[in-house]
């Protein structure tokens, strides 16, 4: 399948540091993305610094900068040493008259002049029609053909406000792909939740490039999600892409962490609940054949199956959860473990992986020595002090002392612990949740964390009157769960 998968688009409220953008670009390149739109060079010197840094990485992917149809935008892109530009021309009469305050002919002249200027300076040019789904199609095709005549290497149809439906998308891209002599790209927004459907429809109708983003982030409701499009093409249409799909989840988590944009638990494929099971009838089916309730294997996207236990847990779900932990039990032991799990569930508690391990080891009379123990924790914080934590841990019998700063005392404590155990495991905090169990300033608080290591993920709990100690307890319990042999 000759399809270019492209990642880009700006997201409101997200300001990444240069090193973070470079880190994401490396991961996208490793993932198999063909073109990386690294930013818009006209934006600021900080943006140009980041684009230059990405371009200097020597990645296999083509590095692109977003440009308006203005010479100064192209000049700034040239300063960043990019391979290509995404040259965006407003093409609907609404955008031409309201944004540019010009007519069609003036717009066409500006666009073609910008294409020629960029080509004269050695850039690959993708001429893009903004708000194309509300443009006159004959005018759009004329602009594209004229752009190709003066050197445009690709053209792109942008559904800027997400108004397309798959049926109309198919019609448009059959027409464009048969009448335009260069690759045609699709750029979809998700205002009506159809970005992925329209992207797939366009690719099936002849588009040879798709603009997408990790986790579907982007303006307003976002853009087409790369992970969804790639998996739909690979699994449902049996069409090969360049994407290493078993790395998708790791890249999704990285982008979520660095942007601060959480992935909804019920999001397809990469959401926290996508491969999580609780109801007994589902888990009973999974024990017989995982394909009964999983359309793809979690490993195919770089994930692991998760079993959530609570008052609805049955023998099947507990058995599968124990199996995931490498524990085998007989019928009487299983009955006792199920009883204890339901008891916790009846009290409104979610049974974490660490809880289940503790229950099972108690029932099985197993004592597993913790590899990580907290010996001492000191935290300093205040309105004029940078939150700082120093920790003393016993890790595999060796005393380790570390210190770290953070956005708050809990963050500083976690960073100190993470540094202390970095020699045995690279731990990432995926989720952090706090509940006050009782009222008052001396309330007992319960902290629930989700930690990951090398794609494996566990949940763990801590409960204290001190929120910092409850957090540390939860984190250390989770780390011990992750690094057990």
């Amino acid at each position: 399948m000759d399809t270019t998968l492209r990642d880009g688009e700006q997201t409101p409220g997200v300001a990444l540091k240069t090193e973070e953008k470079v880190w994401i670009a490396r991961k996208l390149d490793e993932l198999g993305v063909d073109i990386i739109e690294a930013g818009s060079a006209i934006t600021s010197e900080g943006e140009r610094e980041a684009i230059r840094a990405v371009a200097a990485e020597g990645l296999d992917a083509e590095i692109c900068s977003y440009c308006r149809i203005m010479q100064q935008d192209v000049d700034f892109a040239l300063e960043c040493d990019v391979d290509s530009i995404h040259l965006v021309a407003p093409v609907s009469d609404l955008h031409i008259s309201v944004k540019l305050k010009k007519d069609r002919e003036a717009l066409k002249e500006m666009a073609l002049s910008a294409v020629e200027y960029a080509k004269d300076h050695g850039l690959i040019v993708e001429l893009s029609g903004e708000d194309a789904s509300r443009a006159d199609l004959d005018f759009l095709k004329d602009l594209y053909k004229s752009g190709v005549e003066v050197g445009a290497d690709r053209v792109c149809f942008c559904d800027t406000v997400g108004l397309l439906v798959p049926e109309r998308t198919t019609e448009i891209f059959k027409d464009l792909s048969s009448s335009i002599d260069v690759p045609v790209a699709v750029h979809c927004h998700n205002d009506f939740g159809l970005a992925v459907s329209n992207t797939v429809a366009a690719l099936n109708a002849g588009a040879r490039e798709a603009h997408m983003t990790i986790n579907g982030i982007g303006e307003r409701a976002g853009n087409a999600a790369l992970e969804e499009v790639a998996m739909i093409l690979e699994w449902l249409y049996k069409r090969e892409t360049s994407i290493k799909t078993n790395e998708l989840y790791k890249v999704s988590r990285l982008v979520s962490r660095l942007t601060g944009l959480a992935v909804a638990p019920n999001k397809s494929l990469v959401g926290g609940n996508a491969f999580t099971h609780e109801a007994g009838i589902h888990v009973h089916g999974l024990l017989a054949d995982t394909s009964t309730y999983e359309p793809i294997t979690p490993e195919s996207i770089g994930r692991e199956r998760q079993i959530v236990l609570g008052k609805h847990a049955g023998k099947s779900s507990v058995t599968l959860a124990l199996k995931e932990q490498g524990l085998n039990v007989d019928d009487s032991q299983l009955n006792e473990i199920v009883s204890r799990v339901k008891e916790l569930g009846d009290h409104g508690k979610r049974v974490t992986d660490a809880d289940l391990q503790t229950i099972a080891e108690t029932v099985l009379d197993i004592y597993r020595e913790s590899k990580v123990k907290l010996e001492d924790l000191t935290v300093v914080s205040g309105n004029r002090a940078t939150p700082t934590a120093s920790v003393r841990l016993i890790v595999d019998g060796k005393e380790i002392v570390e210190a770290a700063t953070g956005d708050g005392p809990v963050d500083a404590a976690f960073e100190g612990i993470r540094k202390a155990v970095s020699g045995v495991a690279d731990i990432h905090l995926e989720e952090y949740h706090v509940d006050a169990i009782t009222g008052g300033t001396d309330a007992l608080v319960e902290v629930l964390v989700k930690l990951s290591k090398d794609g494996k993920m566990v949940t763990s709990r801590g409960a204290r009157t001190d929120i910092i100690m409850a957090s540390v307890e939860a984190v250390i319990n989770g780390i011990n769960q992750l690094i057990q042999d």
Side-chain angles (χ1 to χ4, degrees):
M1 176 184 178
D2 183 14
T3 297
T4 297
L5 299 181
R6 172 193 192 122
D7 197 273
E9 187 74 15
Q10 300 296 311
T11 303
V14 173
L16 295 173
K17 299 175 183 176
T18 293
E19 58 268 27
E20 292 172 335
K21 290 188 177 182
V22 170
W23 192 1
I24 291 174
R26 287 181 193 143
K27 293 302 180 183
L28 292 175
D29 190 56
E30 293 170 9
L31 188 64
V33 169
D34 302 291
I35 303 170
I36 298 172
E37 189 172 305
S40 177
I42 190 68
T43 302
S44 68
E45 177 54 37
E47 184 84 341
R48 290 190 286 278
E49 177 189 335
I51 297 172
R52 283 193 290 266
V54 171
E57 283 291 302
L59 304 178
D60 291 331
E62 176 186 311
I63 307 304
C64 177
S65 174
Y66 176 100
C67 290
R68 298 170 300 176
I69 48 174
M70 300 178 70
Q71 181 177 321
Q72 62 176 333
D73 284 39
V74 179
D75 287 336
F76 276 122
L78 287 166
E79 285 184 19
C80 298
D81 199 28
V82 295
D83 303 304
S84 65
I85 59 170
H86 178 204
L87 189 63
V88 181
V91 292
S92 69
D93 290 332
L94 173 65
H95 277 227
I96 293 170
S97 62
V98 173
K99 283 179 58 176
L100 296 184
K101 302 188 184 305
K102 297 184 181 295
D103 58 23
R104 290 183 181 181
E105 285 306 310
L107 175 280
K108 181 178 178 181
E109 183 179 340
M110 289 176 65
L112 298 184
S113 176
V115 172
E116 289 181 310
Y117 183 78
K119 291 303 298 180
D120 287 344
H121 287 79
L123 290 168
I124 298 168
V125 176
E126 181 168 320
L127 177 60
S128 195
E130 182 183 19
D131 202 29
S133 48
R134 292 191 290 190
D136 177 78
L137 192 57
D138 289 334
F139 168 69
L140 181 64
K141 288 163 65 177
D142 176 65
L143 177 66
Y144 284 160
K145 289 178 180 179
S146 299
V148 172
E149 287 175 2
V150 297
D153 302 277
R154 304 185 292 261
V155 298
C156 178
F157 184 103
C158 295
D159 185 22
T160 302
V161 290
L163 293 175
L164 284 180
V165 294
E167 295 83 1
R168 179 58 178 155
T169 302
T170 299
E171 293 175 3
I172 290 171
F173 280 86
K174 281 183 177 179
D175 184 356
L176 292 178
S177 62
S178 63
S179 58
I180 306 295
D181 295 330
V182 297
V184 179
V186 61
H187 178 112
C188 293
H189 281 259
N190 203 42
D191 297 78
F192 283 88
L194 290 171
V196 168
S197 297
N198 287 327
T199 298
V200 172
L203 291 170
N204 284 334
R208 291 172 56 191
E209 177 189 331
H211 293 201
M212 294 164 289
T213 61
I214 297 296
N215 299 333
I217 61 177
E219 291 283 353
R220 302 182 313 281
N223 293 74
L226 186 149
E227 61 278 2
E228 294 176 12
V229 173
M231 293 300 283
I232 287 170
L233 293 175
E234 295 259 358
W235 282 80
L236 301 184
Y237 287 95
K238 309 303 179 186
R239 302 177 71 173
E240 291 185 5
T241 72
S242 61
I243 297 299
K244 297 179 180 67
T245 58
N246 61 349
E247 295 295 317
L248 281 168
Y249 184 64
K250 290 181 183 177
V251 178
S252 167
R253 298 310 304 171
L254 172 68
V255 171
S256 178
R257 284 198 301 272
L258 294 184
T259 60
L261 298 174
V263 175
N266 62 328
K267 187 184 184 302
S268 64
L269 300 171
V270 295
N273 294 343
F275 294 94
T276 298
H277 307 273
E278 178 180 8
I281 189 171
H282 280 209
V283 178
H284 181 74
L286 287 170
L287 282 171
D289 186 336
T290 55
S291 65
T292 53
Y293 290 101
E294 289 178 346
I296 61 173
T297 63
E299 293 79 13
S300 66
I301 198 169
R303 300 197 60 171
E304 289 188 351
R305 185 175 298 108
Q306 297 288 314
I307 306 301
V308 175
L309 302 177
K311 66 180 180 180
H312 299 296
K315 290 183 180 180
S316 296
S317 54
V318 174
T319 298
L320 186 55
L322 291 170
K323 184 179 178 181
E324 296 285 328
Q325 293 193 5
L327 296 172
N328 295 310
V329 297
D330 59 31
D331 288 344
S332 61
Q333 292 166 335
L334 177 60
N335 289 335
E336 178 60 24
I337 292 171
V338 170
S339 176
R340 296 189 185 201
V341 167
K342 285 183 174 292
E343 183 179 351
L344 282 177
D346 284 337
H347 284 86
K349 294 182 182 294
R350 177 184 173 186
V351 180
T352 67
D353 303 288
D355 291 333
L356 180 63
Q357 181 177 330
T358 299
I359 291 170
E361 290 177 351
T362 301
V363 172
L364 296 173
D365 197 25
I366 295 174
Y367 177 73
R368 186 172 291 175
E369 183 72 22
S370 296
K371 288 192 173 184
V372 178
K373 297 179 181 178
L374 177 68
E375 291 292 300
D376 185 64
L377 170 69
T378 301
V379 177
V380 176
S381 186
N383 67 326
R384 295 189 178 183
T386 300
T388 305
S390 62
V391 296
R392 182 162 57 94
L393 301 178
I394 303 297
V395 181
D396 271 344
K398 180 182 177 181
E399 183 176 282
I400 298 178
V401 177
E402 281 288 357
T405 60
D407 292 332
V410 172
D411 185 48
F414 172 73
E415 282 301 309
I417 294 170
R418 190 181 63 79
K419 288 170 64 177
V421 302
S422 60
V424 295
D426 183 18
I427 303 294
H428 294 284
L429 178 64
E430 303 289 349
E431 291 181 18
Y432 176 84
H433 184 74
V434 180
D435 279 319
I437 299 173
T438 58
T441 56
D442 60 346
L444 180 67
V445 296
E446 181 182 63
V447 174
L448 187 70
V449 299
K450 184 179 286 187
L451 305 176
S452 68
K453 178 181 82 73
D454 300 330
K456 180 180 180 181
M457 192 170 298
V458 300
T459 52
S460 182
R461 174 185 291 111
R464 300 284 186 95
T465 54
D466 184 326
I467 189 173
I468 299 173
M469 290 307 301
S471 302
V472 168
E473 180 180 67
V475 167
I476 290 180
N477 286 342
I479 291 173
N480 279 311
Q481 174 73 6
L482 282 169
I483 65 177
Q484 291 291 354
D485 291 333

